[in-house]
Each structure stands twice: as C-alpha cells, then as structure tokens.
Amino acid sequence: MKAVVYRRHGGPEVLSLSDRAAADPGPGEVRVRIVVSAVNPTDWKARSGLRAEPGAEIPETVPNQDGAGVVDAVGPDVTGFAPGDRVWLLLAAAHGPSSGTAQEYTVLPAEKLVRLPDGAGFDEGAGFGVPGLTAHRALTVAEDGPTRLGPGALDGRTVLVSGGAGAVGNATIQLGRWAGATVIATVSSDGKAALARAAGAHHVVRYPDPELAARIREIAPDGVDLVVEVAAGVNAGLHPQVLRPRGTVAVYGDDRGTGTVALDFGPNLMLNARYQFLVLYTVGADKLRAGAEDVTAALADGALRLGEDRGVPVHRFPLSDTAKAHIASEEGVTGKVLIDVTPAG
C-alpha cells in the first residue's frame, strides 16, 4: 500500500510517499481502507516537533488524525463492525506512529471507529473529526449547560464564536444552530463574514473594532452564556465585558496570542466567570465517545456539512501531495484541507 511517512521532525519536506505492507488486524482491531484524510493544525504541529526533543530520532510515522473510509477486515472478537461498513475515525494518529490516516489502510482498535451515517459523505466524516469534537466539547462545558447536544439542548442560550470562519468555529456555529442556540460570530473580513453566515450564524461582527464589546452587547444585552475562544490571549479583556454572570469561556486556542493569558481578576470574580481549557487528547474516552455520538447524530440530520455553501470551502489534494496539503493548513488557508487517498467505491 501507499503511505506518507516522516522519519524526523521538520517542515513539510520531511514527508515522503512510501510503500508499506498493510498490517493485519489483531484481536479487537479493525483494518480500514482510508478514502479521505483531513489535515488539522495538530497534524503539522506534531510533524514539526513543536514539543519534541530537538534532534531526537523518531519511529517512521504516518501523519493525520482525521479520516473516513470503509472497513476492510476485522480481527478476532470484533462484533460491532463488518467489512464494507462506512466509518469515520477518532484521533487515529494518536494510537501509534503507524496509525495515521495519510495511507491507504490503517489498523485501529474498534473503539476508534464510528459509523458514518447514511447521507453523510466521506468528506464530512474526515472533515468534522477534530473540529467537530472540539466544538462539541466547547458547547458542553458550561456549569449549568447541557453535557450532550441535540435539537433543543441549547435553546435560550447565546453563544459567541471567536473566529467564526475557522474549522472549529464553523463546526461550533453549525452544531450550535442544530442545538438551538443563538450564535454570534466574530470574523476579520467581509469574505469570512459571508462564510460565518453560510454556516448559520445569526449575527456576525467584525474585528478589530474598539467598539466590539458594545456591538456584542447590542445583540445580547444580558451578556452571552458561552464564548468559544480561539485567541485567548488577545481576547481575554473582551470576555468580562460580554459574559453574563456565571458565563463560561471555552478555550481551545491562542492562535494570535503570545502563549500567555492575562485575566482581569476583579471583573471575572464578580461574574463568577468560568474558564475551561480543552484539548481532545486528555479529555477522556467518555467525553470523546459522547461527542462522537452527537456529531454523528448531527451528520445524520444534515446539520453538519462541508462546502462553501455551509461556510467551509474545501481544498483537495492527492495522497502524493500530502506535503502541499500540510503547507496549505500551516499557511492558514480558510476552509478544510482534504486528501483523497483511495477511490470511494
């Protein structure tokens, strides 16, 4: 089979297309033929070795956490899946160096697989893995909010989505609308505003703007219930200006910050504000499974979809151009970067 691998950390040039033997599934494992792989920032950050020891040797590694495909073979004791089943994957590359989705076949424990519902394509299965699960967690961390999502779960609540044209921002808008929230999105350009509206945002406001807090308060006079935050350091001063008492800030990124978040103690104290930092790798298997079930339900309902008409332009690459796909994501292309691995049929 064909697989993209890297043997040392570095830029996209360390990625190469190689021939590897397809492994057989062992007890409790499933072999999946990958149809579509997706690229997220976590993938190129892992490849670049941002948290690795400089110069350290690494095992031959296949990148990319997200993917969708077809069950090819099942190992002993696997009863929940059969060859031919359409599936999407949970944090595939986190299982081990050889388990990423930038290859024609990968072998994973059965609990890493989720059935892809009828009506949802492989693009959606790959494209809403990390972003959809992150958005789900962000929408379910408030002290007095729901722990699961579905139609009506967020009725009466107002959610402020920072960076509404990003992958997680888009998934948050779509899931928030599906669950009944009033969604306000912030964006940096008219083009991104159009994407946030296409995703379903009820209100879109531009930044930078010295009157940003006032504009949000015009929409939500009592304050917002939840802020889903991608730029924590930059926006920390905004949060107490727009939160309602006992409001929550769900922080998953600091893309435009310095790595340090400075909070104004007094205003946050008086609000009883809650900051919930979140990352999928340590969130717990129960939270991942709950998120996977709800994301799958949203896919089945047609509430999560890719494409510019849903605010997510798609950028496609063949497996041989995985390095170019990583470059596109690393340079901040707006939309979803997908890799066509094998034919869908």
Side-chain angles (χ1 to χ4, degrees), residues 101-112:
T101 63
Q103 58 183 333
E104 293 180 328
Y105 295 90
T106 189
V107 173
L108 292 165
E111 59 266 23
K112 288 277 192 178

Side-chain angles (χ1 to χ4, degrees), residues 254-311:
D254 190 31
D255 287 352
R256 294 176 295 280
T258 63
T260 299
V261 179
L263 302 179
D264 194 340
F265 177 77
N268 282 293
L269 174 73
M270 295 308 296
L271 286 169
N272 274 276
R274 166 182 289 203
Y275 276 77
Q276 173 70 59
F277 292 82
L278 62 100
V279 69
L280 297 178
Y281 301 110
T282 54
V283 73
D286 58 334
K287 303 296 191 301
L288 279 180
R289 180 52 55 179
E293 291 174 0
D294 293 350
V295 166
T296 297
L299 288 169
D301 281 355
L304 277 177
R305 288 292 183 268
L306 292 183
E308 191 156 358
D309 62 336
R310 298 295 285 268

Side-chain angles (χ1 to χ4, degrees), residues 45 161-166 186-188 192 207-208 212 228-236 238-239 252-261 332:
K45 289 176 182 178
V161 180
S162 171
T186 66
V187 296
S188 60
K192 291 182 177 180
Y207 66 85
L212 184 60
V228 179
E229 186 57 76
V230 68
V234 171
N235 290 329
L238 174 70
H239 301 150
Y252 69 93
D254 190 31
D255 287 352
R256 294 176 295 280
T258 63
T260 299
V261 179

Side-chain angles (χ1 to χ4, degrees), residues 36-277:
V36 178
S37 175
V39 182
N40 296 290
T42 189
D43 300 316
W44 52 261
K45 289 176 182 178
R47 182 215 70 222
S48 65
L50 293 180
R51 297 177 179 85
E53 180 183 349
E57 293 185 2
I58 62 170
E60 186 172 87
T61 300
V62 178
N64 297 1
Q65 299 287 357
D66 284 344
V70 179
V71 172
D72 179 69
V74 299
D77 304 325
V78 174
T79 58
F81 296 96
D85 288 345
R86 300 164 69 249
V87 296
W88 62 280
L89 307 178
L90 298 176
L91 300 178
H95 181 62
S98 297
S99 59
T101 63
Q103 58 183 333
E104 293 180 328
Y105 295 90
T106 189
V107 173
L108 292 165
E111 59 266 23
K112 288 277 192 178
L113 277 62
V114 187
R115 288 187 180 276
L116 187 59
D118 293 341
F122 294 111
D123 286 2
E124 279 77 23
F128 285 112
V130 166
L133 293 169
T134 301
H136 181 278
R137 177 63 175 160
L139 289 168
T140 56
V141 296
E143 180 178 8
D144 55 355
T147 59
R148 299 292 297 266
L149 295 183
L154 293 172
D155 280 356
R157 298 177 184 273
T158 301
V159 177
L160 175 63
V161 180
S162 171
V168 174
N170 174 276
T172 304
I173 294 170
Q174 293 198 58
L175 284 173
R177 279 295 301 256
W178 176 62
T182 296
V183 181
I184 306 169
T186 66
V187 296
S188 60
S189 70
D190 289 343
K192 291 182 177 180
L195 294 176
R197 291 190 183 95
H202 296 88
H203 308 276
V204 180
V205 290
R206 286 280 304 273
Y207 66 85
D209 180 354
E211 300 300 320
L212 184 60
R215 299 190 195 286
I216 293 168
R217 279 286 185 172
E218 288 176 3
I219 299 166
D222 295 328
V224 302
D225 297 272
L226 175 69
V227 180
V228 179
E229 186 57 76
V230 68
V234 171
N235 290 329
L238 174 70
H239 301 150
Q241 298 182 64
V242 300
L243 276 178
R244 68 156 177 80
R246 298 178 304 283
T248 298
V249 182
V251 180
Y252 69 93
D254 190 31
D255 287 352
R256 294 176 295 280
T258 63
T260 299
V261 179
L263 302 179
D264 194 340
F265 177 77
N268 282 293
L269 174 73
M270 295 308 296
L271 286 169
N272 274 276
R274 166 182 289 203
Y275 276 77
Q276 173 70 59
F277 292 82

